[in-house]
Amino acid sequence: MLRRIRQHWKNYIGNSRMAFIGCTILGIWIVLAVAVPLFGPWSYSEQNAEIRNQGASLLHWFGTDRFGRDLFTRVWYGAGISLAVGIFSTLINGIIGVLYGAVSGYAGGRTDMALMRIADIIYAIPSMLYVILITLVMGAGVGSMILGLCVAGWISMARIARGEIIKLKETEYAYAARMEGISPLRILLKHLLPNAAGTIVVNMIFLVPQAIFTEAFLSFLGVGIAAPAASLGTIIQEARSQMMLYPYQMIFPLIVLCVMLLALNMAGTAVEQRVGQHSGKGTGNR
């Protein structure tokens, strides 16, 4: 008994520490992404031929690029763009996916079969093709990137929500609600989805770094956000031709991108473990 309590306490401390470190890093990262472009002395797009390809200094902390733009300001401006793309695409994918999957799972039968086959057809086409096609039609930009990520990005969340609703609709409280004559919509919104919220929130947290990485990868390939606006992927792509002569132009945005992805995954892992512990407690109590 004492060993179990000690182990549980160690897990709790470890999860809390991981969540604290991840949230602290992410908080500092967000503050810099907002404050540096707004209050910094340099513009993210202003060019100055006299200071091209300068190394890191007290005046330009990350140095300058081949157009004489301050990399520190540009990297944190791009970080804000990347984070905005990740958050907005995750919110849209989460809302669509949860509603779609919840309706499919609760309806069951032929409705469930039809809805999920439609989702499978959409998911069969690689998401990168959607982004490329939408970018070609609408032009490169933040809006087209978010739309491209949302065409098929909601399907994984729909499958998770569907699985949770199928499991929860067989519970005793769901049966009792149906026996009382409560409408299916109210049962779904008031009883089932709140009990599935833990799993849904965890998976939505992990969708953010996934969307950010996808956007950075596509921008690195030249399909993403167009200049002079830039995400971290765009800045890394611009530095590729200068990598051998001026490696710092690629290293700094890579570090900023990796730190953000690491912080988001740390926070998501800590939340996932906490949700798993609560689920285990709930199962034991029943």
Side-chain angles (χ1 to χ4, degrees):
M1 183 67 180
L2 290 176
R3 183 180 300 175
R4 181 180 300 179
I5 294 173
R6 191 182 299 119
Q7 185 63 38
H8 175 75
W9 180 249
K10 286 182 179 178
N11 292 337
Y12 177 80
I13 295 297
N15 295 341
S16 300
R17 185 178 300 170
M18 183 183 298
F20 176 77
I21 294 173
C23 291
T24 301
I25 294 174
L26 189 60
I28 296 172
W29 196 97
I30 292 172
V31 169
L32 289 172
V34 173
V36 171
L38 289 177
F39 305 110
W42 306 102
S43 168
Y44 75 91
S45 60
E46 182 180 353
Q47 301 181 15
N48 187 346
E50 296 180 358
I51 57 172
R52 292 184 300 170
N53 298 318
Q54 290 188 358
S57 64
L58 292 177
L59 195 59
H60 302 282
W61 290 5
F62 287 178
T64 59
D65 65 6
R66 57 180 175 173
F67 298 109
R69 296 174 296 198
D70 180 68
L71 268 180
F72 186 75
T73 303
R74 191 161 173 79
V75 164
W76 287 111
Y77 173 84
I81 295 291
S82 296
L83 186 62
V85 170
I87 290 176
F88 282 112
S89 62
T90 296
L91 289 175
I92 295 171
N93 286 330
I95 293 171
I96 296 173
V98 168
L99 294 177
Y100 191 96
V103 170
S104 178
Y106 190 82
R110 294 182 179 178
T111 303
D112 179 38
M113 178 69 69
L115 290 175
M116 295 315 296
R117 295 299 75 77
I118 292 172
D120 289 340
I121 292 171
I122 297 173
Y123 196 72
I125 302 174
S127 60
M128 291 185 184
L129 290 181
Y130 291 121
V131 177
I132 293 171
L133 290 173
I134 291 174
T135 302
L136 290 175
V137 173
M138 298 179 57
V142 177
S144 58
M145 178 62 68
I146 292 175
L147 182 59
L149 291 173
C150 292
V151 173
W154 55 270
I155 294 175
S156 60
M157 183 58 66
R159 290 171 175 170
I160 292 168
R162 172 181 175 269
E164 289 295 309
I165 296 302
I166 289 175
K167 180 174 65 176
L168 292 172
K169 74 177 184 179
E170 303 299 330
T171 55
E172 294 179 0
Y173 62 83
Y175 275 118
R178 286 195 290 270
M179 292 293 292
E180 292 178 4
I182 300 176
S183 65
L185 181 61
R186 183 166 181 175
I187 293 174
L188 194 60
L189 296 178
K190 298 291 185 180
H191 298 281
L192 301 185
L193 282 177
N195 284 283
T199 302
I200 291 171
V201 169
V202 167
N203 284 276
M204 284 188 68
I205 292 175
F206 284 117
L207 277 181
V208 177
Q210 180 181 336
I212 292 172
F213 180 80
T214 302
E215 182 277 325
F217 178 71
L218 291 172
S219 295
F220 180 76
L221 295 179
V223 186
I225 298 168
S231 66
L232 290 174
T234 308
I235 297 171
I236 295 169
Q237 193 273 338
E238 290 176 348
R240 183 174 57 176
S241 61
Q242 306 277 93
M243 181 175 61
M244 299 304 296
L245 295 175
Y246 310 105
Y248 66 88
Q249 295 182 11
M250 181 176 283
I251 291 173
F252 286 123
L254 272 174
I255 291 174
V256 171
L257 177 63
C258 291
V259 167
M260 176 177 58
L261 296 178
L262 177 63
L264 285 168
N265 278 286
M266 287 176 65
T269 301
V271 174
E272 183 181 30
Q273 293 175 352
R274 290 293 299 273
V275 169
Q277 290 176 2
H278 286 298
S279 299
K281 289 180 181 180
T283 303
N285 291 336
R286 282 197 297 270

